[in-house]
Amino acid sequence: MTLWIVISFISAFFIFLPPDAKKKVMIGKSVFFCSEARSLFSRALGLMLRKRIADGTGLLFRFSHPMKPSFTSAGMRFSIDIIWFRKGRVSEITEDVSIASGKAVVVPKEEVDGCIEVASGTVRRNNIGLRDTISIY
């Protein structure tokens, strides 16, 4: 009986999650098509269960107020770059985040409005730099 209640609760939780939005994100002159992690579940899960992330795509996180969130690479199958932003500009960049890189937990140095997780090497290939503008459509 107890197991049935737990399974019902978990099923209901997943059924009523708001779908993650798809957003077009421009960073400087580069365009990315991102899923936006809006639900508590999608924020906690992040890119954890994916085998890879395609070039030109990413996972967007926006916060209700400026903060210093922590991200973990536990359970990740590939390395990522994290592009942190504040007030419409890139405020910090963390490249090659993976357990193997020794960056198991990443926290920005300053408060941010959000971040975008992209495939490792994306920042370098697209010449993304600090103070680049970010527009989200």
Side-chain angles (χ1 to χ4, degrees), residues 111-128:
E111 289 186 335
V112 296
D113 297 327
C115 69
I116 301 167
E117 296 179 339
V118 294
S120 185
T122 297
V123 167
R124 196 172 315 114
R125 280 191 307 276
N126 290 279
N127 296 312
I128 295 171

Side-chain angles (χ1 to χ4, degrees), residues 20-90:
D20 290 341
K22 302 293 183 193
K23 299 289 183 183
K24 178 179 172 184
V25 179
M26 291 190 67
I27 305 175
K29 295 180 181 180
S30 301
V31 176
F32 299 92
F33 295 95
C34 299
S35 295
E36 182 175 4
R38 297 189 312 184
S39 70
L40 180 62
F41 179 73
S42 64
R43 286 176 180 238
L45 191 63
L47 297 171
M48 204 179 303
L49 297 179
R50 298 186 191 185
K51 293 181 181 176
R52 66 179 190 87
I53 186 167
D55 287 337
T57 66
L59 184 59
L60 170 65
F61 294 82
R62 289 195 279 186
F63 311 119
S64 58
H65 60 278
M67 62 174 54
K68 290 175 68 173
S70 62
F71 283 74
T72 180
S73 59
M76 290 289 295
R77 299 179 185 188
F78 52 91
S79 298
I80 60 171
D81 293 343
I82 302 177
I83 304 163
W84 308 93
F85 59 89
R86 177 80 193 262
K87 297 182 180 177
R89 295 203 175 267
V90 174

Side-chain angles (χ1 to χ4, degrees), residues 125-137:
R125 280 191 307 276
N126 290 279
N127 296 312
I128 295 171
L130 296 177
R131 308 286 305 146
D132 281 357
T133 59
I134 293 187
S135 301
I136 301 169
Y137 304 96

Side-chain angles (χ1 to χ4, degrees), residues 95-116:
E95 294 183 75
D96 194 34
V97 175
S98 69
I99 292 175
S101 70
K103 300 175 189 172
V105 177
V106 179
V107 179
K109 294 178 182 117
E110 303 290 330
E111 289 186 335
V112 296
D113 297 327
C115 69
I116 301 167

